[in-house]
Amino acid sequence: MFVDIHTHSAPDADSPAIQNLTFTEAGKVFASAQKGLFSVGFHPWFANEFSEKFMLQLEKWASDDRLALIGECGLDKNSKVSLQEQIDVFQQQIRLSEKIQKPLIIHCVGCFNELFDLKKTIKPQQRWIIHGFRGKPQLAAQALKIGCFLSFGEHFNPESVRLTPIDKLLIETDKSSLPIEELYNQIAILKEIETSKLTAGELIYKSFNSK
Ligand SMILES: [Zn+2]
């Protein structure tokens, strides 16, 4: 089962994927009977668009079984929004994730120290999935040490993939047009295992779909 843990495109009817939605898209999806699993959140690039009203809206959607992950949310040094503001908005989503018991799908660029500090301080119960992880092995090791999941897409560091245990390793297409099967193949070859052993995404996916 080639689970795509993070994509921005609508998956084919039977392919298992968690589709990231904008707030506008989410409004339509959650008002409809559309099937699937989704993620919604405040991206750090748009953290300045955060409002109480949207947060309440997100919390309402969160009670829907189709909302699997909160995010993508996180921290980005290239965002025009100040880091402090990004941290505030991220913390609200961390609180929501803990309250509703759904994992976070995290976008982090250049702010890993801040991210790791938050995780060490808050000690969340919910999984933290760092999406599109491109970091070097040292960074991967730090993230894994504090219990993060790493999700790898089109651009990954092979050494980081090699050192990530399969129970913490997720795979995503994000905005890439590469088929998810291709990414599973690349990663399985690197890890010298069958693609069928790459089951961390499947476990997460099934935990939502069994509801
Ligand atoms: Zn994305």
Side-chain angles (χ1 to χ4, degrees), residues 6-8 20 43 72 107 131 172 174-175:
H6 179 78
T7 175
H8 291 264
N20 196 264
H43 195 284
E72 45 187 295
H107 168 107
H131 107 84
E172 64 177 50
D174 196 12
K175 287 170 179 148

Side-chain angles (χ1 to χ4, degrees), residues 173-200:
T173 56
D174 196 12
K175 287 170 179 148
S176 165
S177 54
L178 266 188
I180 189 75
E181 292 82 356
E182 169 62 26
L183 291 165
Y184 270 79
N185 281 330
Q186 288 180 14
I187 286 173
I189 289 167
L190 270 176
K191 296 197 74 72
E192 301 179 38
I193 54 171
E194 301 283 323
T195 53
S196 60
K197 294 278 190 298
L198 296 166
T199 53

Side-chain angles (χ1 to χ4, degrees), residues 83-155:
L83 184 59
Q84 192 50 55
E85 203 176 338
Q86 292 183 48
I87 290 175
D88 287 345
V89 171
F90 183 40
Q91 278 180 315
Q92 301 232 31
Q93 296 177 93
I94 298 169
R95 272 196 289 273
L96 178 61
S97 147
E98 292 295 299
K99 183 175 167 191
I100 61 160
Q101 303 190 338
K102 291 183 183 180
L104 289 176
I105 182 95
I106 295 171
H107 168 107
C108 186
V109 175
C111 298
F112 283 94
N113 287 337
E114 290 82 354
L115 183 75
F116 297 160
D117 282 346
L118 281 168
K119 189 153 194 310
K120 286 181 211 157
T121 315
I122 297 169
K123 302 188 178 68
Q125 298 293 308
Q126 292 306 307
R127 297 181 183 102
W128 282 24
I129 302 165
I130 304 178
H131 107 84
F133 189 81
R134 302 181 184 197
K136 291 185 179 148
Q138 298 92 309
L139 193 65
Q142 272 182 288
L144 291 162
K145 195 177 168 201
I146 57 168
C148 293
F149 284 64
L150 299 180
S151 178
F152 297 98
E154 189 177 358
H155 306 282

